[in-house]
Amino acid sequence: MSSLKGGVGKTTVTLGLASAAFSRGLRTLVVDLDPQSDVSTGMDVDPEGHANISDVLADPKEKTVRSAIAASGWNQHHENGTIDLLIGSPSAINFDAPHPTVRDIWKLEEALAGIESEYDLVLIDCAPSLNALTRTAWAASDRVLVVTEPGLFAVSAADRALRAIEEIRRGVSPRLQPIGILVNRLRPQSMEHQFRIRELREMFGPMVLDPQLPERTSLQQAQGAAKPVHMWPGEAAQEMAGYFDQVLDQVLEQAGIDAPAAARPTVSTQAGIVIDDDPSGDTAVTDLTR
């Protein structure tokens, strides 16, 4: 999943899809490629004693990759799920040059090659730009889900992202394909939002995916407590969990990944923490079963 505009909630969607895959029992790896490193916090991972994505990009050998992977704290909440994180770092910004070499673009693909057989699905949380980090993520991926919000500038960014994906597909990675456009942070009662949804459908037709994701405080609460949304109490959280299940189904179908149907784990009754700012990031989707 990508956007060329920040603030559309790409990290929120990353964590929601990770939660859906985790609850489904998929062996899942999340790669925190965004220098903000918000997904590392949201997945309850302590980076102490581990390498990180910057070390991996500097030296994409298997030993370095394994030293940068840590088990998510989510694993303690669901005995059937397995989810790991390739830890992020603010130093990743040093690898986000505007004109990467071919060698730079293929570093993440090289890094994942040694561990891909251990996972069913990899989600890559990227920076909201078209510099080296995003291109590196796309080169390592089979599918890209473009995330947007129903606003003028985000709609323009979605158009630029689709054009850029086609450019990378033709020039770098022929297997790369867009899954579609996922609209996030929708307020259904907003006339402006409804207008932008119609505009998106007129521009991109069936590339605009259903469902659109409404803006919900429960997502912020779950992330603030570093818990998967599928295990967060309340009707609104379970509504969002259901939406992420539907999006995951489309991701898996297009990537050709077989997975069990969605299952609801037991929900804990822990209080949440509300955070003020909606975090943002990108995710690209990789089918590692090929």
Side-chain angles (χ1 to χ4, degrees):
M1 301 171 309
S2 277
S3 174
L4 303 188
K5 178 185 180 299
V8 300
K10 293 178 294 293
T11 293
T12 297
V13 175
T14 303
L15 292 169
L17 277 183
S19 177
F22 179 54
S23 71
R24 198 78 62 91
L26 289 170
R27 300 170 302 165
T28 304
L29 174 68
V30 179
V31 179
D32 193 351
L33 201 60
D34 188 344
Q36 295 184 63
S37 305
D38 290 332
V39 77
S40 295
T41 303
M43 289 183 63
D44 191 17
V45 170
D46 183 358
E48 189 68 28
H50 292 277
N52 58 54
I53 189 63
S54 293
D55 301 308
V56 169
L57 294 175
D59 177 24
K61 294 185 173 65
E62 184 176 342
K63 181 179 179 181
T64 307
V65 177
R66 291 190 182 278
S67 67
I69 293 176
S72 169
W74 292 6
N75 288 301
Q76 63 184 309
H77 304 296
H78 184 15
E79 61 183 16
N80 295 323
T82 300
I83 190 162
D84 295 334
L85 176 76
L86 203 166
I87 298 170
S89 168
S91 297
I93 194 68
N94 296 324
F95 297 89
D96 202 27
H99 303 293
T101 65
V102 172
R103 167 70 177 142
D104 291 335
I105 287 176
W106 287 105
K107 279 187 175 180
L108 187 58
E109 169 74 2
E110 180 182 346
L112 294 176
I115 61 168
E116 63 181 31
S117 63
E118 300 171 23
Y119 297 98
D120 301 311
L121 179 69
V122 170
L123 304 172
I124 308 172
D125 193 38
C126 309
S129 69
L130 193 55
N131 291 339
L133 290 176
T134 294
R135 293 173 183 269
T136 298
W138 289 359
S141 301
D142 297 288
R143 299 291 183 270
V144 180
L145 183 60
V146 177
V147 180
T148 191
E149 63 180 359
L152 172 61
F153 301 117
V155 169
S156 299
D159 183 49
R160 294 197 305 274
L162 287 177
R163 294 175 185 272
I165 291 167
E166 178 62 17
E167 177 186 337
I168 296 297
R169 187 190 70 81
R170 289 183 176 182
V172 178
S173 180
R175 77 173 188 266
L176 186 69
Q177 296 288 342
I179 290 176
I181 298 171
L182 180 65
V183 179
N184 188 39
R185 300 174 67 178
L186 173 68
R187 296 193 300 274
Q189 304 306 315
S190 167
M191 296 298 293
E192 169 68 12
H193 283 198
Q194 292 299 329
F195 175 81
R196 295 303 173 190
I197 293 291
R198 290 194 298 271
E199 182 181 44
L200 280 166
R201 292 195 183 281
E202 289 171 0
M203 291 175 65
F204 304 112
M207 287 292 290
V208 181
L209 302 179
D210 291 316
Q212 287 91 47
L213 303 179
E215 195 168 44
R216 291 288 185 269
T217 303
S218 56
L219 281 178
Q220 297 176 333
Q221 292 174 331
Q223 291 167 20
K227 298 292 189 297
V229 67
H230 284 65
M231 297 180 183
W232 197 250
E235 184 177 336
Q238 294 311 296
E239 174 195 29
M240 293 306 301
Y243 290 145
F244 283 119
D245 285 334
Q246 293 179 53
V247 176
L248 179 65
D249 285 337
Q250 296 174 71
V251 170
L252 299 179
E253 179 181 2
Q254 291 209 31
I257 301 173
D258 293 326
R264 285 285 183 272
T266 302
V267 176
S268 66
T269 56
Q270 183 170 342
I273 302 170
V274 179
I275 55 178
D276 293 331
D277 295 324
D278 193 20
S280 65
D282 289 20
T283 305
V285 178
T286 304
D287 171 15
L288 297 182
T289 61
R290 66 180 184 279

